[in-house]
């Protein structure tokens, strides 16, 4: 072996010549030092020259020992000569030859140089520091050390100084170490390792006292307590939002003079009337009745129209103003940002208390304004805010970003659970659509959290009925096998409608973002609200609350149903007899035309509404679009079966004269198809739909429509609405569902490129001034630490934020630290000199950074970033540092390979 790196050495200490070329891949680079080998092998040394070990007793301070090469030219790194400790070998030996479990050298000896080790990534390039010895020997005989990412053995009794990138077991010496700046990506591996260290420490301390035992028990159950509280608060907040939105929506139509805080339904509960027209009773006064004492006539219609528009404008103005003044992050649905946050991105204040308060009030106002939006998507954001705030009660979650995301995943499940009354669908939604990292314990906790939230909402009973779900239906007719054809057809139509909506909405949001319109958010909200209210009022199907419309479209036509949709030529003689199939009356045809107009109006208004600066969700508008489409198709199928009962497709079931086609079922399938096309959900969508409606026997039609919708949507446009908005906003999101199909290598993506210089920190030769200059001149989020400028072998990685905090902290509390103080990232005792005292920062050094070689395929690198949640990985060649690949570099590379603009990724 002709070339072998002597780590911990610098060129000034070596009397061996080195080559001039500086190419990083060159074998003759200055960092590859020739060491004695046999004559004739190209060694600069002659065969008679032998490398000898300098006696430490006579050597001047700072002399680097050189070890004798064996006959094969290999360096013998086993300590000899009276038990001297090799600085490149991490174990010390006692006089009897047994190895002690110490790391490095005794005090006053030579230690602290980096030991070559293979870092994760399998490239032989990482290094772990040989720190000062820990404890003492563990008796005779060789013992195996317990290696950790923290660079120390874990056998130390008091764990003093066991650290990993600034984290100590007992306390953080430097305030703020281990936290992240706004708009930065978290390091999952580092945070999970910190939590494991903390957990080991707590488990070890449990035997010490009863108090420590209690602390250990509290730590064990704190996750369950946290999700319990999240479920309780989410259920309560959802109940308040449902009641408030219902009351304010009815306020547009009239008031209950006896008790103004009651909505129309509750006001009429006290009425003795057995029936009342379309929900109106003598206790409930429409605005026209208060001003003209009449509900009918042109004047009454004009007054009602005016009050409808006035209340809508007032609610919208309040919602937009609150968002603009107090919580800009409270706008939109929040699900794209929640997905990004759960993938490991920091957006400060997005899940804060102001966002929670304004979003909760704002969503009530937005829904009440009659805008084409829903409150179900924002409920996920509201629940995540509650999860984030409550996690700070438990330092295990509040101070560890990776652990906090387990609570946020459970909170997202609770949000869907209370939005639809669908706890199982909520868990699956969190797993399929929102969460990035979803271990098994998070699945159980999400299930528990969703259950508690649904139970609390059921106890509050905001809908005032015995069902906790939004649109409960009771169909008892089995579906005909042939109906799978129209169901799949509805899936195709749903996919087309969804793609049209996504493309148009993205175009409008892009226009809003890059034009002057974006500077006037409140004006835009008011204009859209005014247009929506003016168009919506004349059509009874757009005037009513969207949730009521969906319920009407899902429901079956029975004896008590007075809506024009149920105007069939039937004679109900016996209440208990089966409903027979009948011809549609004029009311049905009129209702179908009104529904088609409502479909066009809702589609256009939702395109302009989603993305405005008010809280707005997409679930309910998507369900409404699909339900309208499905009901129209269902009525067409029903009339086909009535007029041609003898044709083969209907011959078996429809020839008896019973009502064999259920139009409400088509509405349900259509709703699932459009929502599936918009969000690209499959499993969770089907579960939400059958939980939402109670229609368990219709799972196969729902699955067929959801699958067809997803296929059509994927064929016409790659992304669902949430992924499209993530890309539009430039959030750094690596979708784990996408595949990387290109053949590039790590060397093609790393920074800097081969002819540029890499900003590095040396382990023991840079001063405080040097490091502060480096921090000013560069904007990197972290810096590799190497042995020396000439000898660029990797020692570890240090974060910019941690460096800044450590330097500021040292200047404040340590005497004698000046700009000329050496900054040392090893455990070695520095050479005594007359200069200022050195600053030791080994505690903030990550000594096991993830590394790859320059020849690693990018497919593997992208997989590592997705599955390990990496923030950056270091690139090496033959153990020598070449460059860094950050998450941003990966995202830009993916965009370039897909022929998209890489500059749309907007993050530090």
């Amino acid at each position: 072996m002709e070339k072998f790196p002597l780590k911990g050495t610098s060129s000034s200490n070596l009397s061996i010549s080195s080559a001039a070329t500086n190419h990083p891949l060159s074998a003759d680079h200055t960092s590859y030092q020739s060491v004695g080998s046999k004559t004739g092998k190209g060694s600069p040394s002659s065969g008679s020259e032998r490398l000898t070990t300098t006696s430490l007793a006579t050597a001047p301070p700072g002399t680097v020992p050189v070890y004798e090469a064996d006959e094969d030219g290999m360096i013998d790194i086993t300590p000899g000569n009276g038990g001297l400790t090799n600085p490149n070998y991490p174990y010390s030996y006692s006089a009897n030859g047994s190895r002690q479990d110490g790391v490095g050298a005794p005090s006053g000896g030579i230690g602290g140089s980096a030991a070559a080790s293979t870092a994760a990534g399998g490239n032989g390039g990482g290094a772990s520091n040989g720190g000062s010895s820990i404890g003492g020997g563990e008796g005779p005989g060789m013992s195996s050390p317990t290696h950790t990412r923290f660079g120390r053995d874990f056998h130390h009794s008091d764990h003093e100084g066991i650290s990993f990138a600034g984290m100590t077991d007992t306390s953080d010496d430097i305030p703020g170490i281990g936290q992240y700046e706004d708009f930065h990506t978290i390091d999952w591996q580092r945070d999970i390792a910190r939590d494991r260290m903390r957990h080991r420490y707590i488990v070890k301390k449990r035997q010490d006292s009863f108090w420590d035992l209690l602390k250990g028990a509290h730590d064990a159950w704190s996750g369950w307590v946290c999700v319990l509280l999240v479920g309780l608060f989410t259920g309560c907040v959802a109940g308040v939002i449902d009641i408030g939105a219902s009351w304010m929506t009815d306020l547009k139509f009239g008031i209950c003079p006896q008790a103004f805080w009651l909505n129309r339904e509750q006001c009429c509960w006290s009425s003795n009337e057995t029936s009342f027209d379309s929900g109106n009773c003598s206790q409930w006064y429409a605005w026209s009745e208060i001003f003209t004492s009449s509900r009918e006539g042109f004047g009454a219609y004009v007054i009602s129209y005016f009050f409808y528009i006035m209340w809508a404008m007032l609610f919208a103005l309040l919602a937009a103003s609150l968002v603009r003044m107090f919580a800009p992050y409270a706008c939109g649905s929040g699900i794209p940002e929640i997905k990004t946050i759960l993938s490991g991105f920091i957006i400060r204040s997005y899940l804060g208390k102001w966002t929670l308060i304004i979003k909760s009030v704002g969503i009530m106002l937005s829904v009440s304004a009659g805008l084409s939006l829903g409150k179900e998507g924002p409920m996920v954001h509201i629940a995540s805010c509650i999860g984030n705030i409550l996690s700070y009660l438990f330092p295990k979650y509040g101070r560890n970003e990776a652990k906090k995301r387990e609570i946020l995943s459970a909170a997202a499940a609770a949000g869907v659970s209370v939005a639809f009354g669908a706890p199982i669908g909520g868990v699956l939604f969190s797993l399929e659509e929102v969460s990035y990292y979803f271990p098994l314990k998070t699945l159980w906790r999400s299930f528990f959290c969703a259950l508690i939230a649904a139970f609390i909402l059921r106890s509050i009973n905001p809908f005032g009925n015995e069902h906790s779900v939004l649109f409960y239906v009771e169909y008892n007719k089995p579906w005909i096998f042939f109906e799978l054809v129209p169901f799949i057809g509805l899936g195709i139509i749903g996919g087309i409608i969804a793609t049209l909506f996504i493309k148009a909405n993205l175009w409008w949001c892009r226009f809003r973002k890059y034009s002057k319109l974006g500077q006037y958010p409140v004006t835009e909200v008011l204009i859209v609200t005014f247009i929506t209210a003016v168009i919506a009022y004349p059509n009874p199907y757009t005037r009513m609350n969207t949730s009521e419309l969906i319920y009407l479209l899902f429901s079956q036509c029975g004896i008590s149903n007075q809506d024009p949709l149920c105007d069939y030529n039937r004679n109900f003689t016996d209440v208990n007899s089966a409903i027979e199939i009948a011809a549609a009356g004029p009311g049905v045809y009129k209702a179908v035309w009104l529904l088609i107009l409502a479909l066009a109006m809702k589609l256009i208004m939702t395109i302009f509404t989603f993305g405005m600066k008010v809280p707005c969700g997409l679930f309910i508008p998507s369900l409404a679009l699909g339900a309208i489409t499905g009901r129209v198709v269902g009525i067409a199928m029903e009339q086909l079966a009535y007029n041609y009962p003898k044709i083969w497709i209907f011959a078996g079931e429809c020839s008896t004269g019973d009502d064999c086609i259920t139009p409400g079922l088509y509405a349900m399938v259509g709703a699932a198809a459009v929502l599936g096309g918009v969000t690209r959900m499959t499993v969770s969508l089907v579960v939400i739909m059958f939980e939402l409606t109670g229609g368990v026997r219709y799972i196969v039609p729902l699955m067929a429509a959801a699958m067809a919708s997803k296929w059509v949507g994927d064929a016409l446009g790659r992304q669902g609405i949430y992924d499209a908005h993530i890309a539009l906003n430039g959030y750094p999101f690596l979708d784990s569902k996408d595949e990387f199909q290109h053949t590039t290598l790590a060397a093609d993506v790393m920074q800097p490129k081969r002819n540029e210089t890499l900003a590095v920190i040396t382990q023991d030769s840079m001063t405080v001034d040097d490091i502060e200059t480096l921090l000013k001149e560069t904007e990197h989020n972290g810096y590799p630490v190497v042995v020396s400028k000439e000898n660029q072998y990797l020692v570890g990685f240090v974060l910019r934020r941690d460096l800044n905090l450590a330097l500021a902290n040292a200047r404040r509390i340590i005497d004698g630290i000046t700009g000329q103080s050496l900054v040392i990232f090893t455990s070695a005792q520095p050479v005594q000199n007359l200069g200022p005292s050195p600053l030791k920062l080994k505690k903030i050094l990550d000594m096991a950074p993830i590394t790859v070689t320059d020849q690693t395929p990018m497919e593997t690198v992208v997989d590592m970033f997705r599955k390990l949640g990496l923030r950056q990985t270091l690139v090496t060649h033959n153990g020598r540092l070449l460059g860094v690949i950050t998450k941003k570099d990966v995202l830009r590379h993916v965009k370039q390979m897909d022929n998209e603009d890489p500059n749309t990724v907007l993050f530090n």
Side-chain angles (χ1 to χ4, degrees), residues 133-419:
S133 64
I134 300 178
E138 293 191 332
M142 192 175 289
S143 66
S144 172
T146 311
H147 288 297
T148 69
R149 279 193 75 181
F150 305 87
R152 308 288 287 262
D153 292 327
F154 203 79
H155 299 315
H156 194 24
S157 59
D158 59 2
H159 304 288
E160 226 175 283
I162 296 178
S163 66
F164 171 66
M167 175 265 169
T168 52
D169 281 315
T170 46
S171 66
D172 284 328
D173 294 345
I174 302 169
I177 290 283
Q179 301 303 307
Y180 299 95
E181 299 284 357
D182 200 6
F183 290 100
H184 280 61
T185 306
I186 72 167
D187 189 333
W188 288 87
Q189 296 300 301
R190 170 176 114 150
D191 282 2
I192 290 167
R194 283 175 65 213
D195 184 67
R196 286 194 190 123
M197 270 314 268
R198 187 197 55 75
H199 180 67
R200 284 191 201 119
Y201 176 70
I202 286 171
V203 168
K204 189 169 177 62
K205 291 279 283 181
R206 273 199 308 214
Q207 284 83 32
D208 294 358
S209 68
F210 180 69
W211 178 243
D212 286 318
L213 184 68
L214 274 182
K215 283 205 286 191
H218 169 72
D219 185 72
W221 71 53
S222 60
W224 291 99
V225 174
C226 191
V227 294
L228 170 71
L229 292 174
V230 171
L232 287 170
F233 278 91
T234 304
C236 293
V237 171
V240 170
I241 289 172
D242 284 336
I243 292 166
S246 169
W247 176 72
M248 286 197 284
T249 302
D250 285 344
L251 199 59
K252 290 188 300 184
F253 300 100
I255 196 166
C256 191
Q258 294 177 334
F260 71 89
W261 58 87
L262 296 180
N263 65 16
R264 180 161 52 188
E265 187 183 4
Q266 292 162 341
C267 185
C268 290
W269 283 348
S270 59
S271 171
N272 295 324
E273 295 156 64
T274 51
S275 67
F276 34 84
D277 175 41
S278 66
N280 287 327
C281 57
S282 58
Q283 308 284 341
W284 176 263
Y285 283 77
W287 292 112
S288 58
E289 221 174 337
I290 291 172
F291 287 95
T292 65
S293 304
S294 169
R295 291 190 184 191
E296 306 298 328
F298 179 74
Y301 184 84
V302 169
I303 286 175
S304 297
Y305 203 161
F306 170 76
F307 270 94
Y308 182 89
I309 294 171
M310 187 200 73
W311 280 113
M313 296 288 284
L314 178 65
F315 291 149
L317 176 66
L318 269 173
S321 302
L322 285 172
V323 166
R324 187 171 186 190
M325 285 191 290
F326 296 107
Y329 283 149
C331 65
S333 107
I335 292 181
E337 287 79 7
I338 298 294
K339 280 185 76 164
T340 311
I341 288 169
L342 285 176
S343 77
F345 193 56
I346 302 281
I347 308 179
R348 293 255 176 266
S349 304
Y350 199 83
L351 301 176
K353 57 183 181 297
W354 276 109
T355 307
L356 169 65
I357 295 165
I358 300 302
K359 188 114 185 181
S360 304
V361 174
I363 194 60
M364 288 190 274
L365 292 164
S366 302
V367 170
S368 310
L371 287 164
S372 184
L373 48 81
K375 61 179 182 293
E376 282 61 33
M379 279 306 307
V380 176
H381 186 187
I382 288 167
S384 298
C385 289
I386 292 170
N388 177 60
I389 291 164
L390 292 176
S391 69
Y392 285 101
L393 299 176
F394 305 88
K396 174 181 178 180
Y397 296 100
R399 293 176 61 187
N400 190 311
E401 292 292 344
K403 292 291 289 178
K404 187 192 288 178
R405 273 145 185 76
E406 295 177 17
I407 301 297
L408 296 182
S409 291
V416 174
S417 171
V418 294

Side-chain angles (χ1 to χ4, degrees), residues 485-503 672-674 676-682 703-720:
V485 175
F487 290 151
I488 291 170
L490 275 174
I492 293 168
I493 295 168
I496 293 168
I497 290 174
T499 306
L500 280 173
F501 166 74
I502 290 170
K503 289 187 181 299
V674 174
V678 169
T679 62
R680 303 295 154 83
M681 295 190 296
T682 50
M703 288 173 76
M707 212 61 245
S709 169
K710 179 173 170 56
W711 282 335
V712 170
D714 286 344
L716 296 176
R718 281 189 318 144
Q719 295 175 312

Side-chain angles (χ1 to χ4, degrees), residues 789-867:
K789 290 283 187 189
E790 302 78 19
N791 212 0
Q792 294 208 349
Y793 285 89
L794 188 60
V795 175
F797 190 83
V798 66
L799 293 175
R800 178 192 192 88
R801 186 175 190 275
D802 292 354
L803 255 183
N804 275 320
L805 286 168
L807 291 176
N809 188 66
R811 283 189 183 277
R812 193 172 67 249
I813 64 171
I814 302 176
D815 292 333
I817 297 294
T818 69
Q820 299 308 307
S821 298
L822 278 180
V823 179
I824 295 177
F825 290 93
T826 74
S827 298
Q829 290 294 326
V831 178
Q832 293 299 318
N833 57 17
L834 301 175
S837 55
L839 173 61
K840 289 189 176 183
L841 293 183
K842 188 187 172 191
K843 72 175 83 173
I844 66 168
L845 183 68
D846 177 1
M847 290 176 287
I850 304 291
T851 58
V852 295
T853 68
D854 55 328
Q855 296 303 304
T856 306
M858 269 312 289
E859 189 176 1
T860 307
V861 176
V862 171
D863 260 359
M864 287 170 68
F865 271 89
R866 282 183 186 142
K867 291 170 182 170

